[in-house]
Every structure is written in structure tokens, then in C-alpha cells.
Amino acid sequence: MTISLAKGQKVSLEKASPGIEAAFVGLGWDIKATDTGVDFDLDASVFLLGANEKLVSEKHLIFYNNKKSPDGAVEYMGDNRTGAGEGDDEVIILDLRKIAPEVMKMVFTVTIYEAEQRKQNFGQVNNAYVRLVNVKTKDEAIRYDLDEDYSIETAMIITELYRKDGEWRMNAVGAGYGGGLQALLDRYS
């Protein structure tokens, strides 16, 4: 049974899916019927942070140009450049058993490629969600649907997975930023 989170809610992965060892995180969205003259290209990224809330290293930013973490535990499965079709638009695979001990938090983000040049923002996106699925059981364990209007934001922190008391927990963040991917790099570098 899926646990649906609201913004700011947190849940233990073990409570949501007992015995979970590996998961995939699926992110999805639709583009509103607005015409900016060019396609939307939304990009998922994962920032792997240490205890200091900064990237462990440059190789710990997982995205379309760096698809796998140094420990092999986090893998980005590819860039959907249009968001067309049903279901997950981009997927990240996690092997929770392999995540290096120095990684204390994984921050899942979505940014709009060339948002300023294309005059695009998250106010033109709807039905955005993130879901965590147990790889072994194929069951959706946790889901967070973003239902706010982010009319000026070009970057979003969707959710975080973090270690607490020896287990992984999920936090539904839903925080928007201007400045695209660079704003997030400035925050976590």
C-alpha cells in the first residue's frame, strides 16, 4: 500500500516497505497546454551529500552527464527530453546496501533546461510527482504529488532521502528556486 506524502512530511523507508534493499525513484510531469515555441526539457538530478550538506565530490552529482555514483549505488537511467507519454519520465535506481557511508543525504531535483532563454518555468508544468518503488516487490511504497503553483521557479528540490538512526527516511520537500541548476550547484557545492 502506497504512503502518500504531503509537503514537509517524512517517513521511514523501512516502515513504508519493510526489508527494502533497492528502489527506483520515478519522477513524472506533464506540460500545460501553453506554447512557448520550444519543447520543455526537464532534467532530474541527484545530489549526494555528506554530513556538511555539501556534495561529497563532483562525481557525487548524478545527472545526464554523470549517470552513476562512484560507489555504483545510484544510477540515472536516461534523459527524457519531452516528458511525453504516461508514467515516469525519468528514473533513478538506488541500491541502498551499496551507498557509501559518507553519503548522508540524497537530494532529488528537477530543473528546466535553458529555462530563461526559453521563457519557461514550473508554472507551465503540472501533475508533477515523485515515487519510490521497491525493486524486489515492484510495489510503489511512497508517493509525493506536487500540487502547488510554482510560477517563477526554474529549479525544484522534490524530495530528500536521508540517514537517521541507522535507516533511510524520505522527506517531501517541494521547494522551488529561480536560477535553474546553477542555483542548486551554488547551494550544495
Side-chain angles (χ1 to χ4, degrees), residues 72-132:
V74 180
E75 186 172 1
Y76 176 80
M77 301 308 292
D79 184 15
N80 177 334
R81 295 186 168 212
T82 66
E86 295 295 315
D88 302 323
D89 292 309
E90 296 194 8
V91 172
I92 294 119
I93 304 289
L94 309 173
D95 187 335
L96 299 168
R97 300 163 296 183
K98 290 184 181 178
I99 295 172
E102 64 268 19
V103 174
M104 300 304 292
K105 184 183 283 187
M106 295 178 275
V107 179
F108 293 81
T109 69
V110 177
T111 56
I112 302 173
Y113 181 72
E114 295 183 341
E116 289 185 25
Q117 298 91 314
R118 297 177 181 200
K119 297 179 176 39
Q120 297 172 337
N121 60 60
F122 277 100
Q124 298 161 311
V125 175
N126 63 3
N127 302 324
Y129 68 85
V130 60
R131 67 191 195 112
L132 185 133

Side-chain angles (χ1 to χ4, degrees), residues 123-144:
Q124 298 161 311
V125 175
N126 63 3
N127 302 324
Y129 68 85
V130 60
R131 67 191 195 112
L132 185 133
V133 175
N134 184 323
V135 169
K136 187 184 290 184
T137 66
K138 309 282 188 272
D139 292 330
E140 181 180 271
I142 306 168
R143 183 180 184 97
Y144 170 42

Side-chain angles (χ1 to χ4, degrees), residues 12-187:
S12 159
L13 295 193
E14 186 61 30
K15 284 184 183 175
S17 187
I20 190 167
E21 296 177 337
F24 81 76
V25 176
L27 299 115
W29 54 81
D30 294 319
I31 304 304
K32 291 182 180 176
T34 59
D35 185 12
T36 62
V38 290
D39 288 337
F40 270 74
D41 180 8
L42 275 60
D43 296 315
S45 303
V46 185
F47 291 78
L48 305 179
L49 309 179
N52 64 354
E53 297 275 325
K54 300 293 182 187
L55 281 169
V56 173
S57 78
E58 288 181 8
K59 295 182 188 284
H60 286 83
L61 171 56
I62 311 307
F63 68 117
Y64 59 84
N65 275 342
N66 182 38
K67 293 185 178 180
K68 200 171 219 179
S69 63
D71 58 16
V74 180
E75 186 172 1
Y76 176 80
M77 301 308 292
D79 184 15
N80 177 334
R81 295 186 168 212
T82 66
E86 295 295 315
D88 302 323
D89 292 309
E90 296 194 8
V91 172
I92 294 119
I93 304 289
L94 309 173
D95 187 335
L96 299 168
R97 300 163 296 183
K98 290 184 181 178
I99 295 172
E102 64 268 19
V103 174
M104 300 304 292
K105 184 183 283 187
M106 295 178 275
V107 179
F108 293 81
T109 69
V110 177
T111 56
I112 302 173
Y113 181 72
E114 295 183 341
E116 289 185 25
Q117 298 91 314
R118 297 177 181 200
K119 297 179 176 39
Q120 297 172 337
N121 60 60
F122 277 100
Q124 298 161 311
V125 175
N126 63 3
N127 302 324
Y129 68 85
V130 60
R131 67 191 195 112
L132 185 133
V133 175
N134 184 323
V135 169
K136 187 184 290 184
T137 66
K138 309 282 188 272
D139 292 330
E140 181 180 271
I142 306 168
R143 183 180 184 97
Y144 170 42
D145 292 299
L146 284 83
D147 52 11
E148 292 184 42
D149 180 23
Y150 298 96
S151 60
I152 60 170
E153 291 83 354
T154 57
M156 296 287 303
I157 296 175
I158 306 295
T159 191
E160 300 170 332
L161 290 179
Y162 62 98
R163 294 184 202 255
K164 183 173 182 188
D165 302 328
E167 67 179 18
W168 286 101
R169 297 173 187 241
M170 184 177 219
N171 176 22
V173 178
Y177 295 85
L181 182 60
Q182 189 61 52
L184 298 173
L185 287 168
D186 292 345
R187 177 178 176 158

